[in-house]
Structure formats: structure tokens, C-alpha cells
Amino acid sequence: MSEVSTPTRQLHTADSEDAFLPFMMMESLLEKLKILNYEEDFIKEIKLRPLNRHYFALETNPGEQFYMFVALAAWLIRKAGISFDTPQEDDDPNSTVASIIQAMRNLGLTVDFSPNKLKKGSGWFTLQCLTNLTDKALDKARIKFKKPVIPVEQEQVSTDVLNTDNDPELTFDRVEEEMGFEDDSDFDEDNELDVDDLYLASAYLESSRNNEIIEANVTSEAWKIELERVTPLLKVSIKSASGDWRSHLEAMKNHQSGLNDVSSFVSTQLNKLEADIDSVMHKINKREKLINNQFDSLLAQHRALQEELAAVNEKYREVNVGVVERQKILSQLSDNLESVKQEMEERGATMSDGSPLVHIKKAIKDIKKEISEMDITIAVAEHMIVESKLRDKSIESYLVRTSGMN
């Protein structure tokens, strides 16, 4: 199984890389165009939106993409140093693509693909063409890319916060800094020190004493004076743990008392609201009964009128059926009458029209002319025949005379 799955996985990876290649080329092309300041020089000229990161990589609008491609290619060709007019939207695509390829060859670029590949205005061939033209434009502008310089990070030598060799005295402020106390404002305002903090500080001091021997260089009188000065400022507070059942019980009692106070107020308000709703509903029921009693006669009249209206509508439907049938018959008769009228008009037009007679007269005249021409032709032919006969007779008589003389 492993021998079969490994080539399949490699093929899938290669396909995914080929599919992602146009997106990478488009991003690189967009960065190069920004270096050439295409937004100011090109976009404002054609008055279109700037390119996005996937414009030529995906086929979205072939007509717009093809026009953007040929316009951008023309601009890059001019940037590369060759005069090239911007194509118009109504130009022939084949001639436009052919002129772009010829300009690329004049710039020394190799074109090893068919011009039809560029008619879509998107895809790998379009991106390759634009990338080559952009590189030529960058070379013309003498813009070169350098390799990135990676800064060398200098190692910071960390020093211990507590250095017992230089300062053998371990004060509480330095222990506080080592433990990460960042909020000094609360301590200065309340002058409170948590028991847990004291325990951690004492543990740290104990570990420091175990690691190194601290030699005191302060007299006992100075310690006593410092102790008398600091003692009134220290206030030890015991924090209750969040998982203590006593704190939970106290919180439940507080919540219960708050709920009792709120429930008494809310119950009175709800009772008052219920009484108001009951009184309003009672008034609404009374008013509804009064309105029903006042409008009973009108409702009866309304029902009777509705029944009469239904009967009249039914009669109208019955009569309307006959009217529809008669309308159909009338439309058929009207169609027949129109056809008869049209036929009569055609016959009248043919009877009153003198064009056939004119055509006949013209034909007779043409025939007479042809007859006269044929008579002349016949006369000429008869004359020629008579001449040929006379010529033959004269030749025969001449031959006879010459033979008699001999």
C-alpha cells in the first residue's frame, strides 16, 4: 500500500503547486508594477480600477481582462523603450496580440507559445508575458533588486536580579521585583501585604540562605529602627480561598436576602399589574357585548345584502357565459367579413389595373420591331443568295466560253 500511495501523494502535491503558481506570479507582478508607479501613470490614464492580488490568475471577465492585459502590455512596452500605441476596445484581438508578440521579440524576449493563449486575458501565459515585459521595464529604468540583508541579533547577557556577592543584604523591595509584582500603586495606596506574598517571599529568602551564606553588615540598632518604621505601614490581610464552603454559604445567604427583597417588591408590582389587566379585560368584555347588541340589526342587513350580492353574481356569470359565446361567433363573422373584403379589394384592383394591357401593348410593339428586323435580315440574305447565284452563273458561262475557244 505504501508503494502505491507515495507516488499518488507526490503527484497531488505537484498539481497543487502548479495550481498555486499563477497566484504567486500575480503577486510578484503586482509588486513590480507598484515599483513602476503604475497606479499614477497607467490606472489614471485608462480610468479603471487598480489590479487585485488574483486579477490575471483567475478567469472572471474575459473581455475586461483581455483589454486590461493589452493596455498594460502596451504601457510596459513603452516603458521598455519602444513606441507602441494603446489598443482600443474595438480593435481586432488577433492583430493586437500579434503586434504585442512582435514588440516582445524586438525587445529580445523569447515567445514559445501560441498567440491564441493570450486571448483569454488570464492564466499562466498572460502572467509570463506581463512578467517578462515588467522585467524589461525595470531594467530600462535601472531598478535592480538586492539580496535581503538579515540583521545579526546580539545576544543579551542576562544578569541575576539578586547578586549576593556585590550586595549581601537582601531587601524586601528586591524580593518583590524578583517575584514579578508589577502593580505597585495598589500597595502604596492600601499598604496591604497578602499572606501568600509573605509566604513566597519567606520561601525565596529561605532558598537564598540555603544556597549562599549571607553575611550581615548592618547593626542590630539599625534593624530595630527600620523595623519600628516599617511595622505601622504593613497591614496583613487574609484572602479567602474561592473553594471555601464558608464563603459559598455566605454568598448564598447574601443572594437569598437580595432575592427576598427584590421578590417582595416585584410581587407587589405584579399583583397590581394583574389587577389592572383584569379590570381592563372586564371593561373590554362589557364594551364588546354592548357593540354586539348595537350592531346586531346592521349585521343581519349586511348578511342579507351579501346573499343578494351572491345571487346577482351568479346570474351575471350565467349571462356572461352566453355573452362570451356570442362574442366568439361575432369575432368569427368579423374575420370572415374581413377576408371577403380583402378578396373583393384584390379583385377590384386587378380589374381596374391597366398595367396588363400596357404590358401587352409593349409586347406587341416589341414583336413588331423584331418582325421588321427579321424581314430586313431575310431581304439581306436573299440579296446575298441572288448575288452568289449570279456569280456562279457568270463563272459557269466564262468556263464554257474558255472551253469552246480551246
Side-chain angles (χ1 to χ4, degrees):
M1 292 295 291
S2 61
E3 294 179 358
V4 177
S5 61
T6 302
T8 305
R9 191 182 300 111
Q10 292 177 356
L11 181 60
H12 180 69
T13 305
D15 293 339
S16 62
E17 290 178 356
D18 293 339
F20 191 68
L21 183 59
F23 296 95
M24 297 175 62
M25 294 177 67
M26 182 61 206
E27 290 183 359
S28 177
L29 174 64
L30 188 59
E31 295 298 328
K32 293 178 181 178
L33 291 175
K34 288 179 180 179
I35 294 173
L36 291 173
N37 198 15
Y38 88 105
E39 294 179 351
E40 297 293 333
D41 299 339
F42 174 68
I43 295 298
K44 289 185 178 180
E45 179 183 352
I46 63 173
K47 297 179 181 179
L48 291 176
R49 293 178 296 177
L51 303 177
N52 54 36
R53 296 173 57 246
H54 310 304
Y55 188 82
F56 291 115
L58 296 174
E59 184 178 358
T60 56
N61 189 354
E64 179 185 351
Q65 287 177 321
F66 178 73
Y67 176 68
M68 179 64 78
F69 160 67
V70 295
L72 183 59
W75 180 71
L76 291 172
I77 290 170
R78 291 196 298 271
K79 281 285 186 180
I82 295 179
S83 178
F84 196 90
D85 295 333
T86 302
Q88 302 298 324
E89 294 184 3
D90 53 352
D91 291 346
D92 186 15
N94 296 321
S95 62
T96 304
V97 172
S99 59
I100 290 172
I101 292 176
Q102 185 62 37
M104 291 178 64
R105 288 172 179 168
N106 294 335
L107 289 171
L109 299 174
T110 58
V111 180
D112 55 353
F113 52 84
S114 174
N116 294 325
K117 301 290 186 179
L118 302 177
K119 289 184 179 180
K120 295 192 300 181
S122 62
W124 188 84
F125 296 100
T126 302
L127 288 170
Q128 185 183 11
C129 177
L130 292 175
T131 302
N132 294 334
L133 291 174
T134 307
D135 293 337
K136 280 292 182 181
L138 291 172
D139 293 339
K140 182 67 176 179
R142 296 181 180 179
I143 298 174
K144 296 182 180 180
F145 298 99
K146 297 181 180 180
K147 294 183 179 180
V149 179
I150 302 174
V152 180
E153 297 181 357
Q154 296 180 357
E155 296 181 357
Q156 297 180 356
V157 181
S158 61
T159 57
D160 295 332
V161 178
L162 298 175
N163 192 353
T164 55
D165 296 335
N166 298 329
D167 190 3
E169 182 180 2
L170 185 63
T171 60
F172 181 77
D173 294 334
R174 298 182 66 178
V175 173
E176 184 178 359
E177 292 177 0
E178 182 69 15
M179 294 305 298
F181 294 154
E182 296 178 357
D183 192 4
D184 296 336
S185 60
D186 297 337
F187 180 79
D188 294 337
E189 292 175 0
D190 299 336
N191 292 324
E192 292 184 358
L193 185 64
D194 194 3
V195 175
D196 297 334
D197 299 336
L198 290 174
Y199 176 74
L200 293 173
S202 62
Y204 188 84
L205 289 171
E206 186 66 26
S207 63
S208 298
R209 293 192 189 94
N210 293 331
N211 293 330
E212 296 181 1
I213 298 173
I214 300 175
E215 295 180 358
N217 55 0
V218 182
T219 61
S220 60
E221 289 80 6
W223 278 104
K224 289 179 181 180
I225 294 170
E226 184 67 20
L227 182 61
E228 290 175 358
R229 186 183 67 82
V230 175
T231 300
L233 300 176
L234 297 178
K235 182 180 179 182
V236 179
S237 63
I238 300 174
K239 290 183 179 179
S240 60
S242 59
D244 191 5
W245 64 273
R246 295 182 182 85
S247 62
H248 284 286
L249 181 60
E250 187 66 25
M252 290 171 66
K253 289 180 179 179
N254 294 330
H255 293 319
Q256 183 65 35
S257 62
L259 287 173
N260 291 332
D261 296 338
V262 174
S263 62
S264 61
F265 175 74
V266 172
S267 60
T268 55
Q269 295 292 328
L270 289 175
N271 291 329
K272 183 178 178 181
L273 183 62
E274 183 181 2
D276 294 339
I277 292 172
D278 290 336
S279 63
V280 171
M281 291 296 294
H282 186 64
K283 291 179 182 179
I284 291 172
N285 290 328
K286 284 184 177 181
R287 186 64 58 85
E288 186 178 358
K289 290 179 181 179
L290 179 62
I291 291 171
N292 289 331
N293 292 328
Q294 290 178 354
F295 290 97
D296 281 340
S297 60
L298 295 175
L299 289 173
Q301 293 178 3
H302 180 66
R303 293 191 190 94
L305 291 173
Q306 281 185 341
E307 291 176 357
E308 291 179 1
L309 179 62
V312 171
N313 287 330
E314 186 65 27
K315 290 181 181 179
Y316 173 74
R317 291 193 200 94
E318 292 176 357
V319 174
N320 193 19
V321 172
V323 172
V324 171
E325 292 178 355
R326 288 179 177 82
Q327 284 180 351
K328 290 181 179 179
I329 295 170
L330 178 61
S331 63
Q332 291 177 358
L333 293 174
S334 299
D335 294 336
N336 294 331
L337 180 61
E338 289 293 332
S339 62
V340 170
K341 284 182 178 180
Q342 186 176 2
E343 186 176 357
M344 289 176 65
E345 289 177 357
E346 290 177 355
R347 289 184 178 180
T350 54
M351 291 174 66
S352 62
D353 190 8
S355 58
L357 183 60
V358 172
H359 290 306
I360 291 171
K361 289 181 179 180
K362 186 177 180 181
I364 292 171
K365 186 177 180 181
D366 294 337
I367 289 170
K368 287 181 178 180
K369 184 178 180 181
E370 289 179 359
I371 290 171
S372 63
E373 290 177 355
M374 289 177 69
D375 291 337
I376 292 169
T377 306
I378 291 168
V380 172
E382 287 178 352
H383 179 69
M384 293 174 68
I385 291 169
V386 170
E387 285 184 352
S388 63
K389 287 181 178 180
L390 292 173
R391 191 183 299 110
D392 293 338
K393 287 180 179 181
S394 62
I395 292 169
E396 288 177 357
S397 62
Y398 178 72
L399 294 173
V400 169
R401 284 197 304 269
T402 54
S403 62
M405 290 175 66
N406 293 327

